[in-house]
Amino acid sequence: MNDPADQNTVTTDTFRRIRRIFEEALERPEGRRRAFVENACAGHATLLREVNRMLAAEGQPDPLLDGIASAPPSSSAPEEGRFPAGTVLAGRYRILGLLGKGGMGEVYRAHDLILNQTVALKFLSPAHISEAALIRFRNEVRIARQVSHPNVCRVYDLGMVEGLHFLSMEYIDGEDLASLLRRIGRLPQDKAVEFTRKICAGLSAAHERGVLHRDLKPANIMIDGRGQVRITDFGLAALAVEIPLSDLRSGTPAYMSPEQKAGKDVTTRSDIYSLGLVLHEMFTGKARRGTQSSPGEIVKDLDPAIERLILRCLEEDPRRRPQTALNVAMALPGADPIAAALAAGETPSPEMVAASGSNEALPPKTAIALLAGIAAGLVALCLLTPKLHMLSQLPLEHPPEVLAEKAREIARSLGYTERAADAAQGFDYDSGHVAYMEKKISGMEAWRRTLASPPSPVSFWYRQSRFRLEALDLNNLGGPQIVTATNPPTVFPGMVSARLDLDGGLLQFRAVPDTEERAPARPPASQGMPWSALFAAAHLDQAQFAATEPRTPLPLGADTRVAWTGAYRNHADLPVRVEAATAHGQPVSFEILWPWSKAERAPTPPAPPLVFRVFQAAIFLAFAIACLVARYNWKTGRGDMRGSLRLTVFFTVAWFATVGLATRFAGAGEIGGLLWAAIGDAVILAVSYLAIEPWVRRQWPQAMITWSRVLEGRWRDPAVSRDVLVGLVWAVAAGLYFLLRTYVDIRLGDAPAWDTKILGPSLQPNLVSARMVLAGIFSALRIGVVFPLFLFSLIVFLWMLVRKRSLGGVMVAALLVAVQSAGATHWVDWLFSAGGVAVFIYTMQRFGVFVAMVYFATVNLIAASLLTSDLTAWYGFSSMIAVVFISALALAAFRLSLGERPLFEVKPG
């Protein structure tokens, strides 16, 4: 058979080979050129003649090559293949030449006459291919067509000619990696790292679509003329399971994972093993066979990080290999895996996000400055809060224990002597009182005089019952509720409740007597009921009050009502009304009604309004959608299962601790019910997190770096400690900012109120007990984690709608300002609200979601604590719990933020 070169049908592959031999021959000394050319051409006359001709054309004739051009043609010249050049197949593809042959068939270069572009046609050999294999092949090709990535050879179509199946795909004019490595040995380390990143990006894009390669090796990786890396043969390697190993293409078994050789399930981590073999060959120039020496022993100057990465990819146990190809790219020296993943159109994994960003310890000067700022801010808060906070202006002389005993004495004096099985207490804040007084007075001095004497806008409530006090879920939102002054309502026999002023004066008393059979016989009120005792308990003189007609509804179980009008003690300008009631001659109700009092109704669960029903339906629909999205993320591996589990455990513990510290339990049954409620809330959080977090991680992974490290348990990471310090500094500054707002409000005539409520009925948890302070800490931690995640998701969602991150933040800020300033009376309120929200949004966008969590949790903890520098006050110790907690957290973060650096570096000499 004549040499194809004699008929001017030298294929593109042959020409590339001739060119490569010619260029390398020029680099050899003249004395070694002949041996090199003869060895490289392996006796092929066409190659020898063309190389000699090109050398002569360059003015480099070599006498030692004389006679080569006239050598007889070799019988081993390249074949033309089944389809000669010029053949038109399927009326569409004109064959340009044979590119190569292998165990799977032949590959031709062809011109697509319809699309007017060069393509590669891969024909599959009919040998050993069953109908079942062809069906699976068609399915995989259908999926592989969806993989569109710069580092993947694009698959176009599937066809059949003369009984042969063929695949049309992107034609790559270049050289495969196997050929390149045979030519030059190992790649330079920087070039190998560059190629690895591109291979990982392409492999990850295919894996994201559910396409496995199963035959990843250097021969299936092409480098085009621009240096771009392309992975070829996706979707084809599935046929390998139908072909005996002896018939596979040369070298394929050497690149198989152990589980693939054993006939076990092949997963993405099987491709990772093959990738490790490819990396071993790229970085060392030698193919790995069995358990050879480590890459570092072959290449002495190999980066240790690269060696560890290769060995991880080559782990026998698939579970110990990197989870994804992007994780491999992430571990490369100097890699920016997040940028690579986003550029590849992929979602960075939680591990990739956690490994990104700086891990550098803080300089000692910076750490000291942050710690000093936190300490100075806490001291300022303890000194300034008593001067500006309303509670600090009130006569807080009696601790809750004393006021509770006064309430019990009043109940016993009225005949309610039965031992209580349960009791609850707390403080309430009457906003109607403050609004009424704001119309009459203004200025700090006037408020100080007014607040120094009763009546106080803050009152103490106490209630007891012969049964367990269990709050009703009035809003039908689910979960246990904390007992308040009105929840559960005082409607069950044996219930007694009292409200006292801060000096112990009675403001309200209510009781539910026993049934008529058990009630003692007493004379009616008209026959001399001793109301003077109740007036005395209220620090009022009954002689100064005139009887009048009652106006309030008859209390439950009562049979008689009475009422009086008069002026409150030492306040001739403050008219009040006293209403009372009896049941079978026993007092069951006594209440002082103020000009600002509103008619109080029993808090029975009303029929939910239409708006609330619509809201419930929207919440249910949103959760149903979240369940579907979470399931999809779980099935596709996008969801952060480990992070979701850890977040759920944290939320459950914090939720249970909050409610457990704020309430008391009657038995194991109630604890079990509380636990089930906590688990229910945690499940909702877990599902929502699985649905939202991958989407947020895809859109804004940089802001999730520290949070991802926290979920991995890297508490000692300097970056985590650094962000804790930053969040604490911003939070303490925000506390001082809110005090400034209170000062300005006072100057404008408002009351010195800073009423941020954390635990429902308690105005400030530390006024009730140290136990409530701990409950406030757990509540602040729980809300501090969940709320920033919600706001962050909302910012990302709005950002996607408006296509601009900053605008999304502005929209969320505007929403928060509108909610915070609802009912504001001064434009200054809007200004301060906007400033506080702006700080929070800026903190979140600038430093990430974890800093925002620390900031929000600490701000809520400060707001829930009546800070004071007077440790002699009865609430001084519990007030300091929050300060000690923040200080301990700051000190721990300060030490860990330094990493291994000493606090004071001593310079030698």
Side-chain angles (χ1 to χ4, degrees), residues 469-544:
L469 288 170
E470 296 182 7
L472 302 178
D473 186 7
L474 301 180
N475 293 323
N476 300 320
L477 295 178
Q481 306 292 310
I482 298 175
V483 175
T484 70
T486 57
N487 189 6
T490 308
V491 294
F492 299 102
M495 279 190 172
V496 176
S497 65
R499 186 180 296 275
L500 307 180
D501 211 327
L502 295 181
D503 65 349
L506 180 65
L507 299 176
Q508 182 189 76
F509 176 84
R510 286 184 181 176
V512 180
D514 288 329
T515 59
E516 204 172 307
E517 291 76 11
R518 295 181 58 187
R522 294 197 176 211
S526 58
Q527 297 183 13
M529 172 64 66
W531 294 110
S532 58
L534 284 169
F535 273 88
H539 299 173
L540 298 177
D541 184 3
Q542 185 179 5
Q544 302 296 321

Side-chain angles (χ1 to χ4, degrees), residues 2-22:
N2 293 333
D3 194 322
D6 296 336
Q7 286 83 31
N8 298 322
T9 58
V10 178
T11 65
T12 302
D13 188 56
T14 302
F15 177 78
R16 287 200 300 265
R17 186 175 177 185
I18 292 171
R19 183 73 183 179
R20 184 171 64 248
I21 296 173
F22 160 70

Side-chain angles (χ1 to χ4, degrees), residues 159-480:
M160 179 183 289
V161 171
E162 299 180 6
L164 297 176
H165 291 84
F166 72 89
L167 193 68
S168 65
M169 60 182 65
E170 180 183 5
Y171 171 70
I172 302 173
D173 187 9
E175 182 178 13
D176 64 72
L177 181 60
S179 174
L180 178 63
L181 293 175
R182 284 195 300 269
R183 266 198 313 115
I184 68 173
R186 68 183 178 94
L187 297 177
Q189 183 168 296
D190 57 345
K191 180 59 69 173
V193 168
E194 176 188 341
F195 281 11
T196 301
R197 289 198 185 108
K198 294 178 179 179
I199 295 171
C200 290
L203 193 60
S204 177
H207 286 172
E208 190 74 17
R209 290 287 186 177
V211 180
L212 304 181
H213 197 289
R214 297 186 180 92
D215 194 24
L216 186 65
K217 59 184 180 180
N220 286 335
I221 299 173
M222 295 290 296
I223 297 94
D224 64 18
R226 297 174 298 172
Q228 184 65 282
V229 177
R230 309 287 186 88
I231 305 176
T232 65
D233 275 10
F234 271 109
L236 295 177
L239 292 175
V241 298
E242 299 290 331
I243 304 174
L245 289 178
S246 59
D247 292 339
L248 288 174
R249 288 169 288 180
S250 175
T252 297
Y255 293 93
M256 281 185 177
S257 63
E259 62 270 21
Q260 190 174 357
K261 290 180 180 179
K264 298 180 181 179
D265 289 340
V266 178
T267 66
T268 56
R269 298 195 183 188
S270 303
D271 280 349
I272 297 298
Y273 185 91
S274 301
L275 175 62
L277 293 172
V278 173
L279 299 187
H280 186 284
E281 197 163 345
M282 278 201 303
F283 283 97
T284 68
K286 297 183 181 298
R288 182 181 176 88
R289 297 291 181 264
T291 55
Q292 293 179 335
S293 57
S294 64
E297 295 178 2
I298 301 174
V299 179
K300 300 301 182 182
D301 59 347
L302 184 65
D303 191 315
I306 295 176
E307 180 181 16
R308 289 193 299 269
L309 175 61
I310 294 175
L311 295 178
R312 280 190 61 205
C313 293
L314 297 177
E315 288 281 358
E316 291 289 320
D317 186 352
R319 293 172 298 181
R320 302 187 64 176
R321 299 171 198 158
Q323 184 175 0
T324 67
L326 287 181
N327 290 137
V328 177
M330 172 186 63
L332 290 170
D336 185 355
I338 289 182
L342 296 179
E346 307 299 332
T347 300
S349 67
E351 296 82 5
M352 178 182 299
V353 173
S356 302
S358 172
N359 197 35
E360 186 178 355
L362 279 178
K365 291 183 179 180
T366 303
I368 292 174
L370 291 173
L371 184 64
I374 296 170
L378 287 176
V379 171
L381 284 172
C382 292
L383 293 175
L384 296 177
T385 298
K387 299 181 181 299
L388 298 172
H389 203 297
M390 170 183 287
L391 289 174
S392 300
Q393 312 303 320
L394 299 175
L396 295 174
E397 300 173 358
H398 302 298
E401 293 78 11
V402 173
L403 295 175
E405 181 57 31
K406 287 181 176 291
R408 285 191 289 267
E409 288 178 359
I410 293 174
R412 286 193 293 266
S413 68
L414 297 177
Y416 298 95
T417 59
E418 184 178 6
R419 184 178 180 84
D422 194 13
Q425 63 191 39
F427 289 89
D428 263 352
Y429 172 74
D430 190 349
S431 59
H433 182 178
V434 175
Y436 178 85
M437 297 304 297
E438 283 179 336
K439 299 176 182 178
K440 295 179 171 293
I441 62 174
S442 66
M444 192 64 192
E445 289 303 319
W447 275 107
R448 284 176 178 169
R449 290 192 302 269
T450 302
L451 296 175
S453 61
S456 169
V458 174
S459 60
F460 174 81
W461 59 268
Y462 170 84
R463 53 190 316 192
Q464 65 183 35
S465 172
R466 68 162 63 111
F467 305 108
R468 171 68 182 158
L469 288 170
E470 296 182 7
L472 302 178
D473 186 7
L474 301 180
N475 293 323
N476 300 320
L477 295 178

